[in-house]
Amino acid sequence: MAARRNRRNGGKKSVLLSTVVPMYNEEGGIDLFFERLEPVLDKITKDYEIICIDDGSTDATLDELLEHRERNPRIKIINLSRNFGKDVALSAGLDYATGQAVVPLDADLQDPPELIAEMMDKWREGYEVVYARRSDRKSDSVSKRVTAGWFYRVHNAIADVSIPDNVGDFRLIDQRVNIALQNLPERTRFMKGLFAWVGFKQASVEYVRESRAYGETKWHFWKLWQFALDGITGSTTFPLRVWTYIGILVSLTAFFVSTLLIVRVFIYGVDVPGYASLMVAVLFLGGINILATGIIGEYIGRIFTEVRHRPLYLVRDTYGLEK
Ligand code: UDP
Ligand code: MG
């Protein structure tokens, strides 16, 4: 393997291409995955590494990875102390990746490795981020497609930096971008948002996303909802600020309605029945008050996780990596 020392990443040995693969209970498909990935990488360069992050798997994922590593020492392993979730696992992998180009990809072959060659071509042309855009989402369920569509629309309408539609974590990033990502200190790792925030010269390649090659997805409705909240609260403070304007609107309305009511009392005298309008006002105001408090709570919760300054992840062991 090339033993170039790299100035930009503190003198670590650097390779041309790193692929970073978070894995959580993927035992059934690892053989298939390497079988497809390695020939693709071999064709591009011999100077590559495959960093696999075992994200606290409870099955034989780690043992299988170790077997593969004996066969091909370019396969390197980070074993996290427990399951931290895909975005954190990916961050861990990026921290260790020394490649001049770095490609995160899923272990389930939903991100076709063949596309990496095309990405490398764009990278050689001088692009620093080459993202893979799904030309369609046929492999996703209707409900996932619809909710994902909503999420992008809401996010991009209110966020400071838009995230491209139909783009996952599968992309190529230049080492500069990787170092920029490592220097983002936040603990809420909404990678799509972070990738967008860092900017750099971007290009895209298109692909058709296949269905999972084996096993099943680890995402469920509640997790996706949490993920969407992280995405929005991580990228924008709009939901916090909007209450100022809603407050102004409600106060102005209240002012006019009160004036009207007072004038009416002077003209028509005191009007005792009024239960319905009172209830409507109380319930409406109570409702938006609780909602606003809840949204503030979401942000405070995230501020709390940031100020605790816990490490993002804990590594039990690494195989073939230095840090
Ligand atoms: N993954 C992970 N930690 C988790 C959940 C998932 O590292 O807690 C990995 C998983 O092994 C796979 C990738 O993240 O390589 C994408 O997961 P999945 O296919 O379940 O998500 P989907 O493709 O449905 O979005
Ligand atoms: Mg998948």
Side-chain angles (χ1 to χ4, degrees), residues 95-144:
D95 287 347
Y96 282 85
T98 62
Q100 290 158 42
V102 182
V103 178
L105 87 165
D106 286 0
D108 57 6
L109 292 171
Q110 280 195 289
D111 305 328
E114 294 74 22
L115 210 62
I116 297 175
E118 236 177 281
M119 292 172 161
M120 286 297 279
D121 291 341
K122 288 265 183 203
W123 176 67
R124 291 201 178 95
E125 283 171 31
Y127 291 101
E128 289 152 327
V129 177
V130 185
Y131 49 84
R133 185 191 290 275
R134 289 172 225 173
S135 50
D136 71 78
R137 269 183 169 257
K138 276 196 198 106
S139 62
D140 283 344
S141 66
V142 178
S143 63
K144 185 156 180 203

Side-chain angles (χ1 to χ4, degrees), residues 158 236-249 291-292 295 299:
I158 62 178
T236 174
T237 51
F238 176 83
L240 276 178
R241 286 176 286 126
V242 72
W243 295 103
T244 315
Y245 303 100
I246 294 181
I248 291 172
L249 212 77
L291 183 63
I295 288 177
Y299 279 91

Side-chain angles (χ1 to χ4, degrees), residues 1 13 15-20 41 46-51 74-76 96-99 320-321:
M1 223 175 290
K13 275 186 202 134
V15 295
L16 181 70
L17 174 62
S18 302
T19 53
V20 177
L41 296 182
K46 295 274 172 233
D47 190 16
Y48 70 80
E49 63 182 358
I50 304 174
I51 299 184
R74 293 187 179 97
I75 297 172
K76 302 168 183 178
Y96 282 85
T98 62
L321 292 159

Side-chain angles (χ1 to χ4, degrees), residues 22-24 26 55 83 85-86 89 106-108 110 144 209 212 216-219 223:
M23 293 185 174
Y24 178 52
E26 299 283 4
D55 186 14
N83 179 250
K86 182 191 168 181
D106 286 0
D108 57 6
Q110 280 195 289
K144 185 156 180 203
R209 191 163 169 88
R212 232 175 188 284
E216 53 188 47
T217 176
K218 277 102 198 169
W219 292 97
K223 236 173 121 185

Side-chain angles (χ1 to χ4, degrees), residues 13-84:
K13 275 186 202 134
S14 126
V15 295
L16 181 70
L17 174 62
S18 302
T19 53
V20 177
V21 196
M23 293 185 174
Y24 178 52
N25 292 346
E26 299 283 4
E27 64 178 358
I30 289 176
D31 299 345
L32 206 67
F33 175 70
F34 286 124
E35 230 168 79
R36 195 155 144 208
L37 179 64
E38 283 172 61
V40 174
L41 296 182
D42 277 327
K43 238 189 268 168
I44 299 172
T45 173
K46 295 274 172 233
D47 190 16
Y48 70 80
E49 63 182 358
I50 304 174
I51 299 184
C52 300
I53 306 96
D54 174 24
D55 186 14
S57 299
T58 49
D59 63 3
T61 299
L62 181 63
D63 301 331
E64 289 191 13
L65 283 176
L66 287 169
E67 270 169 39
H68 279 282
R69 180 171 156 72
E70 265 173 31
R71 182 181 55 73
N72 181 357
R74 293 187 179 97
I75 297 172
K76 302 168 183 178
I77 307 163
I78 303 170
N79 177 216
L80 297 183
S81 65
R82 63 169 170 85
N83 179 250
F84 282 90

